[in-house]
Amino acid sequence: MRKLAAAVALASTALATPALARDDSWYVGVGGGVMIVEDMDLDIATFNNAATLDHKTGYDFEGVVGYDFGGFRAEVEVGYREADIKAGRVNTPGIPGSANGTGNLITGNFPMNGDSNALSFMVNGMLDFGDDDGLQGFVGGGVGVARVDVAPVLAGPWLDDSDTGFAWQAIAGVRAPLTRNWDVGLKYRFFNASNLDLVDQRGRDVSTRFRSHSILGTLTYNFGGAEPVPPPPPDGPYPPERAPRRAPEPARYRLRASRH
């Protein structure tokens, strides 16, 4: 029974080991998934909401490097997201109807192609909660910069420009250990890049913003912190069969015999 109890204690320690490698350690991770872009309203010249771009479902990828302080994580992230444009709605005469961008300005609803994409560099902070030895949740956000490129095509690419500016995001998700060093997770991200100033083919100012919602699957490698100290066996610091033997007491009666 003593050997069985010691084996159970060691096994419980091994099961808890994967999560212990997260704290006080560096980690790297990758993620990817699907993305939905909110309709992009375009202010063209002096006309507010002159046009709106509707997108197909796109994709979102990321790579992160961070440090886990325990209940809080800090990380840097590089992300890229892209979605094809499927349609446009023009509320005021604002889109050229010819391929070279010099035709008459038209209004209405039109199928379109082209795409919108954003390359971002962010600094994130995450708060972790839940049991370290199983499913764990986290919430957080980040700030940084993003280069957003918008290129809708009707008869031609009437807008094909990019702008770089401030971006922020909100993040929530769950993760769980696969092994001592590997975690898998599921993450939701809301990404926002506002105040984008573009120029169309006619030289007019076009203002808009890029907002997206993403669901990402993640894979993280933890480099590992301090090794956990295993608990002593139930019966003390030594197994019964390896306990040190007590030295025999000196034979005082021999000393007494030698005096006679």
Side-chain angles (χ1 to χ4, degrees), residues 135-158:
L135 189 65
Q136 187 178 64
F138 58 88
V139 294
V143 295
V145 296
R147 186 191 68 80
V148 179
D149 183 88
V150 183
V153 176
L154 182 55
W158 59 273

Side-chain angles (χ1 to χ4, degrees), residues 253-260:
Y253 68 93
R254 295 180 180 177
L255 296 177
R256 292 178 181 176
S258 62
R259 293 177 182 177
H260 296 283

Side-chain angles (χ1 to χ4, degrees), residues 47-107:
F47 297 99
N48 293 332
N49 297 325
T52 301
L53 300 178
D54 185 17
H55 293 74
K56 301 178 181 179
T57 301
Y59 58 85
D60 188 351
F61 292 103
E62 68 171 16
V64 300
V65 177
Y67 190 84
D68 193 331
F69 294 92
F72 174 79
R73 288 181 287 129
E75 63 183 28
V76 293
E77 169 205 301
V78 178
Y80 181 81
R81 52 201 61 80
E82 181 177 315
D84 291 335
I85 298 171
K86 69 177 181 179
R89 182 175 65 255
V90 185
N91 303 317
T92 60
I95 294 181
S98 63
N100 58 11
T102 60
N104 295 330
L105 300 180
I106 58 177
T107 62

